[in-house]
Structures are given as C-alpha cells and as structure tokens.
Amino acid sequence: KTGFGVEGLVSRLQRSWKCAGDVYLLGATNSGKSTLFNTLLRSDYCKSRAPDIVDRATVSPWPGTTLNLLKFPIINPTCDRIFRRHERLKEEATKTEDELSSEEKKYLNQLKKQGYLVGEVGRTFQQQKCSAEIDFDPDVLSYSMDEDPRHPPKRHEEREEFTHNEVKDARWCFDTPGIVKEDCVLNLLTEEEVKLVLPSRAIVPRTFILRPGMVLFLAALGRVDYLEGEKPAWFSVLASNLLPVHVTKLSNADAIYEKHTAQEFLKVPMGGEERMKEFPPLVPQDITLKGIGTTEAVADIKLSSAGWVAVTAHAEEELLLRAYTPKGTALVVREPPLLPYISTIRGARIPGTPAYRTKKPPSFVENLRTTGSR
C-alpha cells in the first residue's frame, strides 16, 4: 500500500526468476495480494503498455472479493533494461522530498500520515502517449438564442488490446482469489465488523502493564488473563486502532464480558443480545512463558486474525497466562515474537492507569535522500 520494499522486490524477482515462467500471488483472504498486484502493475515488473489495458484488482475488506484471475504480462528483464532501471533507481535515491513535484509531495505526505515506512514506486519504461486530436465542428458549437446548446455525440472509445506479438511468448503475473482459512475469526463477522477489525492504516502499538490477577480484553474477540507471576509484565497490543482495549481485574472480567459484549464498550461484535445468540463463546488456552528482559518480548499471543499481544517480562520471570478466542478460531503462541522490541515504542505512563501513552514512530521514506532537518 505504501510502496515500501516494492522496488527491492522487483529487483529480486528480475534477478532470480527473470522471465522463466508465470508468477502467482497466493495467500489467505485479506492478506494484501490485490494491493500488491496493483502496485506491481505500475512498476518495472509490468510491460509498459499493460497499465492502460489490464484491469486493476478490486481492493476490499470483505473476504473473497477477487473472484477471477487478473493478470498482467511480465517485462523481460534484458541486460539493457536492468541497467537503465538501476540508473533510474540511483538517480532517484539522490533526490530529496523538496525536489519532488507538488503532486508527488501530496501523495507522499498522505502515505506518511497513514504508515511509517514509505517507498516510492516508479517506472523506467514509459508508454509513449499519442497527442490527442481535437475534432472541430462549428455547426455543433453554434446555436440560436431560442435553443439550448447541442452537445456532440459521445464517441464509443474502443478498449485497447495487446497485439499478438506483444503476448505470444509473454509470462504473466496472476492475482488469485484468497484462500479462506477455516479457523479465522473474520468468518464469524459481518461486513461492518470486518471493517473495524482489519486495519486500513498503520497500527500504533498500545502497551499496558499488568500485575498478576489482571485481564486484558481486545474488543470481545480476545482476552488474556495474567494468572500467576512475581512481577508486573508488559502487554503490547497490535491490532486495528478501531478495536478498543480494556484492562480490568480478574474478579470483574466475566461480569464485564456478559454485560458489554455486542455493546459499544467492547464494540465487536455489535448488535446486542440477538447478535450474541449466534456468536460462539470464548474458549481458554493456558500458556506458560519465561521472560527474557524488560526490553525484549518473549512471545506473541496471536488472537486469530483480530491481532496479537506481545508479552514482555523480567528475565527468568515465569508467567502463567490464560488466553481466550471465540470457539472455532485459532489461538497461536508465536515464539520468537515478530516484533521483539515493540514494548519500547511507548510514551510515558498514564498516571493511575495500567496504560502507556501511544507513541507514533517517525516516518521513513526508503528511496529518497534525507535532508538535514529530518
């Protein structure tokens, strides 16, 4: 979505796979295949004329939106093309943001607000555009005072197509329908709920310090109980920022779940008592972890596709946790964690609460030269 790492991906594909065969984007629903397809479509991986001919993939939060096999022809990475592409990338890496056009600056600033890691995706090989011919018909432009202006009849624009020679030996990059995971929490949600659960912007981690006997709720889709331990531990939530996180005592947890599930307090699922009649109950799984240190997480507790909680504890500290997800969904303990130092990205402790102020990491633009002010 932000283009970060895409130019590097294109270079690796051209070096390793070259043009030896077709390429397929495979993965679970909502993992970003169509977004990547659309980005590659406007990159050096795609033949220059293809973006005007190939349909863009539909990007939607609803699982299974990609229903047919979209494809574009892969450009053959000859030595000359690779050299010209390398020269363009070297030239662009010397630019600063001040040297971009106003349109490019505007687009870049939008991405920087939404995500922290941004990369510009460009094209070395551009399709030459023919200058448009303007038909001038004076009879159509003239009209008397007692009649309305006449508009010229709309011409039917013929869709561009590839020539036989362009695609006779072409290799193709395909966007495929997503694989639906049976144990995914998204299968239980309505379209409105899916939009809240799937993040549309970069996630800002939320860190909480829990003592034994405390409970963390991620909406009503996940719950982590800190049952036993000697010292407090840090729990960093990485999930859509539209999902609420609530911390309470173990003695109050069941009552809060019963009272606030499907209500605004826990937000998802939504719809009151009628919605909960068809929504499965939370089921527990006990987890034992041993801390590494106060700056490094020991494991991630992945609450299906709702998000995950990174657990950071004192060195050699043993924790007994109990995590819950809806029945029929997957709860996974990921060791080592995906982002081991995530708990250090936090602001000051909020007085009187277990929460830390969220701290947005600084944005980074991958292939532009940084200025002295940044």
Side-chain angles (χ1 to χ4, degrees):
K1 183 177 179 180
T2 66
F4 182 80
V6 173
E7 289 285 22
L9 173 65
V10 170
S11 296
R12 288 185 63 182
L13 283 167
Q14 291 182 338
R15 282 197 308 269
S16 59
W17 192 240
K18 297 183 174 64
C19 211
D22 294 335
V23 172
Y24 293 83
L25 297 176
L26 302 177
T29 53
N30 299 116
S31 57
K33 296 181 302 301
S34 295
T35 304
L36 178 58
F37 178 87
N38 292 337
T39 307
L40 291 173
L41 183 63
R42 63 173 194 266
S43 75
D44 281 342
Y45 198 57
C46 174
K47 286 198 175 185
S48 59
R49 222 162 67 81
D52 298 327
I53 299 173
V54 177
D55 291 326
R56 291 174 70 251
T58 304
V59 178
S60 166
W62 194 243
T65 311
T66 307
L67 300 177
N68 56 347
L69 237 62
L70 295 174
K71 62 180 183 178
F72 65 74
I74 299 169
I75 197 167
N76 185 14
T78 60
C79 293
D80 175 61
R81 285 174 178 156
I82 288 179
F83 174 77
R84 286 162 60 194
R85 169 178 160 76
H86 183 65
E87 290 297 299
R88 175 182 69 82
L89 292 177
K90 274 203 308 185
E91 183 184 338
E92 287 184 352
T94 63
K95 287 183 181 178
T96 64
E97 288 183 39
D98 296 334
E99 296 175 75
L100 299 177
S101 68
S102 59
E103 200 62 34
E104 287 174 321
K105 277 185 192 175
K106 184 180 175 183
Y107 181 62
L108 188 64
N109 286 331
Q110 283 178 345
L111 288 179
K112 282 165 66 177
K113 288 175 185 174
Q114 295 175 14
Y116 318 127
L117 305 176
V118 182
E120 197 181 12
V121 180
R123 291 191 68 92
T124 308
F125 318 104
Q126 300 286 352
Q127 173 69 18
Q128 294 296 321
K129 297 282 184 184
C130 300
S131 57
E133 293 184 8
I134 301 173
D135 289 331
F136 181 74
D137 185 352
D139 292 331
V140 170
L141 297 178
S142 63
Y143 57 96
S144 64
M145 297 295 290
D146 57 348
E147 66 176 340
D148 293 328
R150 287 174 294 158
H151 297 286
K154 288 185 179 179
R155 287 189 172 186
H156 175 68
E157 293 185 7
E158 289 191 9
R159 183 185 172 88
E160 281 192 71
E161 297 290 346
F162 289 116
T163 65
H164 172 71
N165 286 336
E166 282 179 307
V167 294
K168 66 177 181 179
D169 297 317
R171 303 300 185 188
W172 299 84
C173 178
F174 291 89
D175 182 27
T176 63
I179 301 162
V180 178
K181 297 183 289 183
E182 291 182 1
D183 54 2
C184 178
V185 73
L186 299 179
N187 300 334
L188 305 174
L189 304 179
T190 64
E191 184 172 2
E192 193 175 353
E193 291 164 351
V194 167
K195 288 178 180 177
L196 295 174
V197 172
L198 285 179
S200 58
R201 298 193 173 195
I203 293 169
V204 178
R206 290 169 280 177
T207 298
F208 302 82
I209 187 164
L210 270 63
R211 299 179 182 278
M214 297 181 77
V215 174
L216 181 147
F217 280 102
L218 176 60
L221 301 176
R223 168 179 164 179
V224 180
D225 298 1
Y226 185 5
L227 299 180
E228 294 178 16
E230 294 294 325
K231 299 176 182 177
W234 292 267
F235 293 75
S236 300
V237 178
L238 288 105
S240 167
N241 299 116
L242 298 177
L243 288 183
V245 177
H246 294 288
V247 175
T248 186
K249 292 180 180 178
L250 186 58
S251 55
N252 299 335
D254 290 339
I256 285 176
Y257 182 78
E258 291 294 327
K259 181 179 179 181
H260 294 289
T261 303
Q263 307 296 332
E264 183 61 26
F265 185 72
L266 292 177
K267 213 160 196 176
V268 178
M270 54 181 67
E273 291 182 11
E274 287 298 313
R275 176 75 174 98
M276 293 312 297
K277 286 179 183 177
E278 59 185 32
F279 197 80
L282 297 180
V283 293
Q285 178 179 321
D286 285 357
I287 300 165
T288 304
L289 299 174
K290 183 181 279 190
I292 299 174
T294 57
T295 60
E296 184 175 354
V298 59
D300 292 334
I301 300 173
K302 187 172 178 293
L303 304 168
S304 188
S305 294
W308 76 84
V309 180
V311 182
T312 305
H314 291 82
E316 301 302 313
E317 175 76 7
E318 289 197 3
L319 311 180
L320 175 60
L321 310 175
R322 182 170 291 154
Y324 296 74
T325 52
K327 187 176 181 181
T329 64
L331 190 152
V332 178
V333 178
R334 182 165 53 203
E335 296 179 275
L338 188 62
L339 301 169
Y341 304 105
I342 196 68
S343 68
T344 61
I345 303 177
R346 63 174 189 245
R349 177 90 175 267
I350 301 173
T353 74
Y356 288 84
R357 298 192 188 281
T358 54
K359 188 171 77 172
K360 188 175 177 180
S363 60
F364 172 73
V365 184
E366 180 185 35
N367 42 2
L368 285 177
R369 185 164 58 85
T370 56
T371 57
S373 60
R374 289 183 60 202

